[in-house]
Amino acid sequence: MNFSKLQPLGWSNYFLQQMALADTLTENGPQPFRISAIYRSRIDAIGEDGEQTLMCPDHFLPVSQHIAVGDWVLARKRHEHLYIENILMAKNRIERYSGHEHQLIAANLDYLWIVTSANEDFNLKRLQRYLALAYEFSVEPVVILTKTDLGNKEAYLKQIRSLSISEVHGVCAHQVETLAPLSAYFHPGNTIALVGSSGVGKSTLVNLVSKGEQLTREIRSDDGKGKHTTTSRQLFFSEQQVAFIDTPGMRELQLPGAMEGIRQVFAEIDALAHECKFSDCRHDEEPGCAVQAAITNGSLSEEQFASYQKLLKEDAFLQRRDAGTYAMKQQQRAFAKMVNSHKKEKW
Ligand SMILES: Nc1nc2c(ncn2[C@@H]2O[C@H](COP(=O)(O)OP(=O)(O)OP(=O)(O)O)[C@@H](O)[C@H]2O)c(=O)[nH]1
Ligand SMILES: [Mg+2]
Ligand SMILES: [Zn+2]
């Protein structure tokens, strides 16, 4: 195996260690591949010798719940086909609830680009959800405001900066110079996933910065809403050896067990809660409630507090409904943290 060929694809010691632990570093052992696309009846991946199609055994079905684009897997050739044998533990994975199940979005990310456009589509509450997603799954969020030719850029940026996020950029597809600051995220071997509503310009942006050819389509001019053009998650590499994962626009984002992430988005409320007289204060009508006091003196807006409560309530509901999966996920995260702390360097 030539691991140096895998490094530009995002391979690192973290994965090599897992192969060693599982005793799969042998001459005739399985080979590592990075999942690049998952279709209804096909899984594409990239390995040492380029693109391959992988077969998925029944115990990893449904695929969307077991394997994410960006995952590393080990596969072995049998009867002319490559069969997936193991899914290597990811550094991180983001997922959401869709319908009644959790759905993997992308894995092994360095940055989550949360894309939103400077027009009527802009929604601060939705941004808070995306931020909670990033924090919960330990991926650094970057908010990118697109289509700055269409709206008051500074007014939108000011709203975004009111959230607990430092990495914010405004870009316009027709002014390439606005894209220059984004190159700060382009380190060889890095992976960046783009998420956001349909039509905000994710594929356009990724085309421009990677010089690739992802499909985009005309937007309906009357209501500014996009058509669903990107239909599946896809990973591809830019000239700078950065992996981009373009995703189809999400109509709604339901958070899966993201309490820690939500708390981080609303850090100021969390800090206030520590000042409440009772440690189990529900910030309702209890005496000595610092949160209610802040609302009364105007330092915390009622709307902000309502968003926080709404997200936590939704989160608690989903967690109760899905207690088993949640416990398993916590365990996996603890394991990933442990392995990470043993090996900090990239490769
Ligand atoms: N005015 C303006 N239009 C833009 C800009 N960026 C993208 N668009 C247009 O917005 C429309 C939608 O862009 P896409 O890149 O397909 O959007 P998307 O986020 O990938 O959409 P989905 O794949 O459906 O999730 C296209 O018609 C683009 O030309 C911009 O900076 N300014
Ligand atoms: Mg798209
Ligand atoms: Zn309180």
Side-chain angles (χ1 to χ4, degrees), residues 200-221:
V200 293
K202 297 180 294 298
S203 302
T204 306
L205 178 63
V206 91
N207 278 346
L208 286 167
V209 296
S210 71
K211 308 187 174 61
E213 292 268 329
Q214 292 294 294
L215 281 183
T216 61
R217 214 191 293 156
E218 279 315 294
I219 202 162
R220 289 199 296 268
S221 53

Side-chain angles (χ1 to χ4, degrees), residues 91-97 112 114 128-141 253-266 311-312 315 319 326-327 329-334 336-337:
K91 283 193 300 187
N92 54 39
R93 265 174 155 187
I94 53 169
E95 64 182 59
R96 64 159 178 166
Y97 268 100
L112 187 70
I114 300 167
Q128 286 171 329
R129 273 176 195 259
Y130 279 110
L131 279 177
L133 186 77
Y135 291 137
E136 181 67 25
F137 296 108
S138 312
V139 185
E140 188 170 349
L253 174 62
Q254 269 193 347
L255 296 171
M259 192 161 73
E260 279 176 43
I262 296 167
R263 290 226 159 106
Q264 220 167 319
V265 174
F266 295 91
L311 284 179
L312 279 186
D315 190 72
Q319 256 183 57
Y326 183 71
K329 204 172 67 189
Q330 294 293 82
Q331 229 174 0
Q332 286 174 345
R333 269 188 236 162
K337 266 191 192 139

